[in-house]
Amino acid sequence: MTRRTSPRKKARELAKLLRAERPDYAYLKEVFRHLRVELEVTVPGPSRRLPWVPSEAQVRALYEAVWRTRRTADLVMIKTFLYTGLRVSELVAVKLSEVDVDACQIRVNLGKGKKDRVVPFPMGFRETLAIHMAQRQQQGGQYLFESSWKRRYSDRGVRRMLERYGIQAGLDRTISPHKLRHFLLTWLKAQGIDDALIQPYSGHASRQALEVYSRLALGEAQKEYEQAIRRFPI
């Protein structure tokens, strides 16, 4: 095995050679780029490891754990996660005024990347959501999900809630809000829905997907979603 000088010592040796050049960052970057070429050092690519996605059985078990508590607000929140694929930071920021129960849509203002978008939820869910919203309005609420102190939930609070239900469901892994989002997007893809139709709901800023989607109507995307979501496991 080749014996190597410690990185710190080698850096000092190189510094002695380069100090007279008074190098800046751009110069050093170019030097080390050429050094990699001279030494035939390849840059490792990104990891190809696929992210873990919960199974339908695990998602059902999580939902059943919530159902057994009869905590209706938590049930509505879990379903909203599963049906919309919203990021947790987006979900806790949704105001009652941003939910259109007639059109079965939620407007996300300033989501990731400071972008606005509209996401759907199933027609069969709108009555449950409308009842939940009416209760929130009667209590003087402003956000779709709030604590008993009329404060919107925090990201950390939602994550802890899911962790608690995961334990009650006997799951060996925590299903985070991001995993619920990933489950929906993966499930929609498995149903054969085109990436261009999934993109506006996922909020991914893929230039290619945006170019394709620009030629599609939102109504067409929601129609595809509504047909597929009838087969959703929850």
Side-chain angles (χ1 to χ4, degrees):
M1 182 176 179
T2 304
R3 183 165 182 158
R4 292 176 174 173
T5 306
S6 72
R8 186 171 186 177
K9 184 177 180 181
K10 184 57 66 178
R12 286 174 177 170
E13 292 175 359
L14 293 173
K16 290 179 181 179
L17 294 173
L18 293 168
R19 187 168 284 113
E21 303 278 349
R22 300 179 65 84
D24 56 15
Y25 175 79
Y27 179 77
L28 284 176
K29 184 177 179 180
E30 278 298 296
V31 168
F32 280 96
R33 184 176 70 83
H34 288 290
L35 188 60
R36 286 199 307 269
V37 174
E38 291 294 329
L39 296 175
E40 298 182 350
V41 176
T42 59
V43 179
S47 174
R48 298 291 181 181
R49 186 177 179 182
L50 294 176
W52 174 75
V53 182
S55 66
E56 290 190 12
Q58 289 170 320
V59 170
R60 286 196 191 98
L62 179 70
Y63 179 78
E64 286 299 319
V66 184
W67 171 255
R68 287 193 293 271
T69 68
R70 297 299 194 267
R71 294 176 64 90
T72 56
D74 290 355
L75 283 166
V76 174
M77 179 182 287
I78 295 294
K79 282 197 168 185
T80 304
F81 263 131
L82 286 167
Y83 289 147
T84 65
L86 289 176
R87 298 176 178 89
V88 62
S89 59
E90 296 169 341
L91 185 76
V92 298
V94 173
K95 295 181 179 179
L96 293 170
S97 59
E98 294 165 348
V99 181
D100 187 338
V101 291
D102 293 318
C104 296
Q105 295 176 348
I106 296 175
R107 180 173 182 80
V108 180
N109 292 316
L110 299 179
K112 187 174 182 180
K114 303 298 183 182
K115 294 182 177 66
D116 297 344
R117 71 184 192 279
V118 173
V119 296
F121 55 84
M123 186 173 294
F125 181 53
R126 67 177 180 178
E127 291 183 6
T128 300
L129 193 57
I131 292 171
H132 170 79
M133 290 174 63
Q135 292 173 342
R136 298 296 317 119
Q137 289 167 341
Q138 289 173 3
Q139 295 168 1
Q142 179 183 6
Y143 291 92
L144 184 59
F145 298 105
E146 291 181 338
S147 69
S148 56
W149 296 284
K150 296 183 181 179
R151 294 178 181 176
R152 76 178 197 181
Y153 286 118
S154 66
D155 293 19
R156 182 179 296 180
V158 174
R159 294 178 193 280
R160 286 178 175 173
M161 179 192 75
L162 287 176
E163 184 177 358
R164 184 174 68 251
Y165 283 128
I167 293 172
Q168 293 176 15
L171 301 178
D172 57 356
R173 298 185 68 168
T174 299
I175 300 182
S176 66
H178 187 72
K179 293 303 180 184
L180 291 179
R181 165 181 164 80
H182 204 61
F183 176 81
L184 171 68
L185 300 180
T186 303
W187 186 87
L188 289 173
K189 181 66 177 175
Q191 304 307 302
I193 296 183
D194 191 89
D195 287 343
L197 298 178
I198 297 175
Q199 187 276 332
Y201 305 142
S202 73
H204 291 148
S206 165
R207 180 175 297 180
Q208 182 178 4
L210 284 170
E211 289 173 354
V212 174
Y213 183 71
S214 66
R215 299 193 294 271
L216 299 170
L218 179 61
E220 180 181 349
Q222 190 154 349
K223 181 180 178 181
E224 292 276 349
Y225 166 88
E226 186 66 43
Q227 290 175 348
I229 210 70
R230 293 171 186 170
R231 302 187 292 274
F232 200 66
I234 298 299

